[in-house]
Amino acid sequence: MDHTPTRILVVDDEPSITEFVSYALQKENYSVDTAGDGEAAIELIEQKPYDLYILDIILPGIDGYELCRRIRAKYDTPILFLSARDGEVNTIVGLELGADDYLAKPFGIRELIARTRALLRRSQVAVNASAEVSAGGIVLDDDAHTAVGEHGPIDLTPREFELMSCLMHNAGKVVSREDLLRDAWGWDFITETKTVDTHIKRLRDKIEAAGYNPQVVETVRGYGYRFKK
């Protein structure tokens, strides 16, 4: 049986933050490394990739946004942003770059642990027992991680794929923003449902760019979204 501990990299230029976070995560039996800047983080990642990245945005040299880009270019590993910058614009920027979650400073350690567990659980557990589903002229395969139809494949990020998978497996039914956050992303704390709207817009853009009708994802005002059968 594999007892290899889950490896987490915490990147922040404030020693008090890295010490606080790493101590709390180690108490949860995670293996934690820390880095004070983007260059040091890249050196550690090149030695051996991690299971989760917790990144500050404001870093000397390579900032958190650029570090996120470089990680996402190679890995589908979950990324959690920590930052004193709080607000819809900064949140959207981080999510557009491929981050999976966003936690503003100051934050409670219980919430950080919950977010960590949710992200790791979501990355390790299969999305659905039924691997393939078809709706709106698109066939989605959870095992192969592909979405394709008569116009060819749709290029999706891991987060966009999970969102589309949840919608397609519930095709014809309305799925609330809260349910999408829980079921597609594994969030235990529902703090910002506008996150879903941002990803839905990007998902529609990807669908349209691939030659399909973006309105296959319908908005149901006041509730959530529905994927047309």
Side-chain angles (χ1 to χ4, degrees):
M1 187 174 180
D2 186 7
H3 294 286
T4 303
T6 298
R7 302 177 69 246
I8 299 174
L9 178 61
V10 180
V11 187
D12 198 301
D13 63 341
E14 298 181 51
S16 60
I17 295 293
T18 55
E19 291 173 10
F20 171 66
V21 172
S22 62
Y23 175 75
L25 293 174
Q26 286 169 353
K27 286 186 66 177
E28 298 296 319
N29 296 318
Y30 297 120
S31 174
V32 184
D33 288 333
T34 63
D37 57 63
E39 287 84 355
I42 290 173
E43 290 182 8
L44 290 171
I45 295 169
E46 288 177 346
Q47 294 175 23
K48 186 177 181 181
Y50 291 81
D51 300 299
L52 172 68
Y53 298 98
I54 300 178
L55 312 178
D56 187 26
I57 290 178
I58 303 175
L59 294 169
I62 299 173
D63 66 12
Y65 289 147
E66 178 60 24
L67 183 55
C68 177
R69 287 191 192 95
R70 298 193 187 188
I71 293 172
R72 191 54 74 229
K74 292 184 177 180
Y75 309 107
D76 292 339
T77 311
I79 297 173
L80 170 64
F81 267 135
L82 299 180
S83 179
R85 290 181 176 179
D86 190 15
E88 184 178 353
V89 173
N90 290 306
T91 302
I92 290 173
V93 170
L95 295 171
E96 286 181 342
L97 293 175
D100 298 272
D101 203 351
Y102 187 103
L103 193 56
K105 300 175 184 177
F107 53 85
I109 199 62
R110 290 181 63 185
E111 183 169 6
L112 173 66
I113 296 299
R115 299 284 187 96
T116 297
R117 288 173 177 167
L119 289 172
L120 289 168
R121 182 173 64 246
R122 191 68 193 96
S123 68
Q124 294 167 356
V125 177
V127 176
N128 195 293
S130 177
E132 189 174 287
V133 62
S134 177
I138 299 169
V139 178
L140 182 140
D141 190 323
D142 287 317
D143 289 343
H145 232 258
T146 58
V148 64
E150 62 179 6
H151 300 297
I154 303 173
D155 182 22
L156 302 172
T157 66
R159 178 60 64 236
E160 291 161 356
F161 183 89
E162 305 297 358
L163 181 60
M164 190 163 174
S165 176
C166 184
L167 288 168
M168 288 187 67
H169 279 286
N170 291 282
K173 301 177 183 178
V174 181
V175 185
S176 71
R177 292 171 175 82
E178 291 79 8
D179 285 341
L180 285 170
L181 286 170
R182 290 190 183 96
D183 298 343
W185 301 351
W187 280 18
D188 291 326
F189 285 76
I190 309 303
T191 59
E192 181 52 82
T193 56
K194 287 185 178 179
T195 296
V196 176
D197 299 333
T198 300
H199 278 78
I200 287 290
K201 181 182 182 302
R202 291 177 58 79
L203 178 60
R204 284 174 173 154
D205 289 344
K206 293 289 188 69
I207 291 172
E208 185 173 25
Y212 303 91
N213 181 6
Q215 295 309 311
V216 71
V217 180
E218 300 178 305
T219 299
V220 181
R221 294 189 181 280
Y223 194 78
Y225 297 95
R226 175 173 52 217
F227 201 97
K228 292 181 180 179
K229 282 190 176 181

